[in-house]
């Protein structure tokens, strides 16, 4: 529960240190641990721009492949070069909406949609599951 707003210097980014912030609530729990990384189940209550990315980065847990809110040098702290190369190979944010729902504005019916984990993220998770000991 950390308010978000525009970054004070970089207008393309959001920040937890904004002077004009709005309420932002993110609930998360660890789904699976992989040593230096984890797969999370995340529920957003408020749905602010970049909310998941900013909240996790502010906690010190940036999303793998997030070039805007992550720290590319962080991967250099991973001593195992094979694991480091696999994490760096993720050329996009390892962020996926497995389930999303809303109330239809006309019918007022609950709409829920699900989607399996994308292949690149599934391959990375399988690699980490096999290779990295927790």
């Amino acid at each position: 529960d950390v308010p978000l707003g525009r970054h004070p210097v970089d207008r393309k980014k959001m920040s937890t240190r904004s002077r004009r912030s709005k309420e932002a609530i993110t609930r998360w729990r660890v789904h699976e641990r992989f040593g230096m990384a984890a797969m999370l189940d995340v529920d957003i209550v408020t749905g602010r721009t970049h909310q998941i990315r900013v909240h996790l980065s502010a906690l010190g847990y940036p999303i793998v492949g997030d070039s805007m809110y992550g720290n590319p040098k962080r991967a250099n702290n991973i001593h195992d070069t094979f694991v480091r190369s696999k994490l760096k190979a993720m050329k996009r944010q390892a962020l996926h909406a497995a389930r999303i729902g809303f109330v239809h504005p006309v019918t007022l019916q609950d709409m829920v949609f699900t989607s399996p984990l994308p292949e690149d993220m599934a391959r990375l998770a399988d690699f980490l599951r096999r290779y990295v000991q927790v």
Side-chain angles (χ1 to χ4, degrees), residues 92-112:
R92 67 178 187 91
Q93 303 156 24
L95 186 61
H96 171 64
R99 181 177 172 275
I100 190 166
F102 58 90
V103 176
H104 191 282
V106 176
T107 66
L108 302 179
Q109 182 180 12
D110 285 334
M111 307 293 291
V112 178

Side-chain angles (χ1 to χ4, degrees), residues 115-127:
S115 176
L117 197 61
E119 186 60 35
D120 59 345
M121 290 174 60
R123 278 194 312 269
L124 179 59
D126 287 342
F127 164 77

Side-chain angles (χ1 to χ4, degrees), residues 4 23-26 43-52:
L4 300 179
E23 178 185 46
I25 300 170
T26 304
D43 294 317
I44 52 175
V45 176
T46 51
R48 304 282 176 215
T49 303
H50 301 182
Q51 178 175 322
I52 296 169

Side-chain angles (χ1 to χ4, degrees), residues 26-39:
T26 304
R27 295 185 181 125
W28 60 273
R29 65 202 147 283
V30 175
H31 179 83
E32 188 173 359
R33 293 183 192 279
F34 304 116
M36 80 300 298
M39 187 179 302

Side-chain angles (χ1 to χ4, degrees), residues 16-29:
T16 58
R17 297 186 182 125
S18 175
R19 286 171 287 219
R20 298 178 62 207
S21 58
K22 295 181 180 177
E23 178 185 46
I25 300 170
T26 304
R27 295 185 181 125
W28 60 273
R29 65 202 147 283

